[in-house]
Amino acid sequence: MGFKINEHVKWVGNIDWDLRKFHGEEYSAHRGSSYNSYLVEDEKTALIDTVWSPFSEEFVQNLKEEIDLKKIDYIIINHGEVDHSGGLIALMKEIPGTPIYCTANAVKSIKGQYHQDWNFIKVKTGDTLSLGKRTLTFVEARMLHWPDSMMTYMDQENILFSNDAFGQHYASSGMYNDTVDQSELFQEAIKYYANILTPFSKLVEKKINELLELGIPVDMICPSHGVIWKKNPLQIVEQYMEWAKDYQENQITITYETMWENTRKMAEAIGEGIAQQDPAVKLKYINVGKTDKNDVLTEIFKSKGVLMGSSTINNGILSNTAGLLEMIKGLKFKRKAGAAFGSYGWSGESPKIINEGLDASGFQVMEKNYKALWTPDKESVEEGIAFGKDFINHINR
Ligand code: FEO
């Protein structure tokens, strides 16, 4: 069921309480998500974004309870990804000729996915659409996070429909930022930024500056996932600016993957050295074989240094660590120090492989690594403690 945001705007999306994996299996959604669609009514009526395709029929049924579909004059698709354009499948059967306003790249992505020649109207930054007393202005946001992404600004109500930007995969009964648990909200917001937007941080910064320079009043930010930023809406914009500037906290994360606990013991020795050298640092130990990969990446995003350990297996590294390295490479983290460690029984390639992976991902890698033959003995533990201290010196150099 929809709800009224104000006299001219209604939320008409779907809440996906059951979602636990998004983007196939790539993104964990521990708290579900929502696909936010907005009905904007003035002398003319526009629908901004739709929902994910499995909800397409339900979306249209619900929409019919809000409005006679024939009264929808325009459809705005801010982004062609299926979680926002999927509702078009059922909707366009009902109102086939309705113009769809989107970027030229969105025409390509929507046609590529649905193979339909709907009535597309291409728009670019600065183009406007009058609804009567109120006007929608389009702002392209290329690569935030697809080439087709854009935002739509509604004057007089001063609402920015930001699509994915400023969103969270967070299903909640309270749909405003001030009616939900703040720690849950910001945990989901930072996870979303870390796992989806990090590679585009420079563009995030540029786009936000561009929006701020326009000097437009923003009373509300309505993203396409999660809650609406109604109370102090610019707080999430300020937060994005901070995250976009090669964010780091005073945190070091030690990730490890272990076959017979030896690499875990090494992780603990390193951590002891770090704690001795810099007691103020926030230290996180994460067994990547047992931890959700997106949660690991969120901790890495927050860290100024990452120590990654794996046992050696078949002349290589354990598979979850290999997967993590692949994801780190894609996310293009900046301003992070790295180092590698791992136990072995005979060949012992793992630290070298990890170092190469971290180096290829732009980490400032400490040349020295820490290896332990079989189970670390007292001498090896001392070596690990010294290694942890060296890592602090490496970060502070
Ligand atoms: Fe929420 Fe890029 O889709």
Side-chain angles (χ1 to χ4, degrees), residues 20 42 48 54 76 82 92 115 145 167 176 208 210 263 320 348 361 365 369:
R20 288 297 176 269
D42 195 352
I48 300 180
I76 318 295
V82 67
M92 298 315 283
H115 310 292
H145 68 127
Y176 295 104
I208 289 177
E210 195 182 307
T263 301
N320 291 290
S361 303
V365 176
N369 59 41

Side-chain angles (χ1 to χ4, degrees), residues 22 79 81 83-84 145 164 192 224-225:
F22 187 77
H79 170 34
E81 196 162 6
D83 52 325
H84 308 297
H145 68 127
D164 279 332
Y192 188 96
S224 56
H225 299 290

Side-chain angles (χ1 to χ4, degrees), residues 10-258:
K10 276 182 196 159
W11 179 93
V12 289
N14 285 98
I15 296 184
D16 191 346
W17 302 103
D18 295 348
L19 187 78
R20 288 297 176 269
K21 290 286 182 178
F22 187 77
H23 281 159
E25 297 295 312
E26 280 302 286
Y27 188 106
S28 60
H30 303 317
R31 298 184 172 95
S33 192
S34 69
Y35 314 107
N36 298 341
S37 171
Y38 301 96
L39 197 60
V40 178
E41 297 173 284
D42 195 352
E43 289 161 27
K44 298 282 188 181
T45 297
L47 179 75
I48 300 180
D49 291 326
T50 69
V51 299
W52 187 29
S53 49
F55 289 90
S56 191
E57 298 289 342
E58 188 180 324
F59 166 69
V60 169
Q61 285 311 311
N62 289 344
L63 196 55
K64 282 179 179 172
E65 291 177 23
E66 303 293 340
I67 189 171
D68 173 355
L69 297 185
K70 295 199 169 40
K71 289 190 176 159
I72 297 175
D73 299 291
Y74 316 113
I75 298 166
I76 318 295
I77 295 290
N78 278 325
H79 170 34
E81 196 162 6
V82 67
D83 52 325
H84 308 297
S85 63
L88 291 173
I89 300 165
L91 183 62
M92 298 315 283
K93 286 182 190 151
E94 303 268 354
I95 46 172
T98 308
I100 299 173
Y101 288 71
C102 60
T103 62
N105 281 327
V107 175
K108 287 185 208 162
S109 73
I110 294 168
K111 280 189 176 177
Q113 292 171 95
Y114 307 109
H115 310 292
Q116 297 287 329
D117 199 15
W118 290 318
N119 180 14
F120 295 105
I121 311 283
K122 293 175 192 168
V123 297
K124 52 189 183 332
T125 296
D127 288 352
T128 58
L129 176 64
S130 172
L131 301 179
K133 294 188 179 62
R134 288 158 184 80
T135 300
L136 299 179
T137 302
F138 306 112
V139 182
E140 288 173 272
R142 281 185 198 194
M143 296 317 298
L144 298 179
H145 68 127
W146 271 21
D148 66 8
S149 301
M150 71 168 186
M151 302 183 191
T152 298
Y153 177 73
M154 181 185 193
D155 70 355
Q156 298 200 46
E157 309 307 320
N158 303 336
I159 297 178
L160 182 68
F161 297 94
S162 61
N163 196 261
D164 279 332
F166 313 123
Q168 334 87 44
H169 287 304
Y170 183 29
S172 61
S173 53
M175 280 298 288
Y176 295 104
N177 67 308
D178 58 342
T179 58
V180 294
D181 182 302
Q182 297 301 289
S183 61
E184 287 184 2
L185 170 59
F186 279 92
Q187 176 60 30
E188 293 305 336
I190 194 170
K191 176 180 174 181
Y192 188 96
Y193 190 97
N195 283 273
I196 298 175
L197 289 163
T198 299
F200 313 114
S201 282
K202 284 281 164 274
L203 296 171
V204 170
E205 197 181 340
K206 195 167 164 232
K207 184 54 61 181
I208 289 177
N209 280 328
E210 195 182 307
L211 286 169
L212 294 176
E213 277 164 21
L214 291 175
I216 48 173
V218 177
D219 292 342
M220 221 182 300
I221 296 176
C222 293
S224 56
H225 299 290
V227 302
I228 293 162
W229 298 92
K230 185 178 181 185
K231 185 171 183 185
N232 183 14
L234 291 179
Q235 66 179 297
I236 189 63
V237 178
E238 287 156 14
Q239 189 64 79
Y240 262 47
M241 278 303 253
E242 208 178 315
W243 290 337
K245 290 176 179 165
D246 305 337
Y247 184 71
Q248 58 174 229
E249 296 176 13
N250 187 22
Q251 175 172 324
I252 291 174
T253 298
I254 304 178
T255 73
Y256 62 93
E257 197 169 4
T258 187

Side-chain angles (χ1 to χ4, degrees), residues 252 274 305-307 337-339 366 387-395:
I252 291 174
I274 289 171
V306 177
L307 293 120
M366 187 164 81
F387 186 74
K389 290 179 181 176
D390 287 346
F391 189 65
I392 293 291
N393 295 335
H394 173 68
I395 289 177

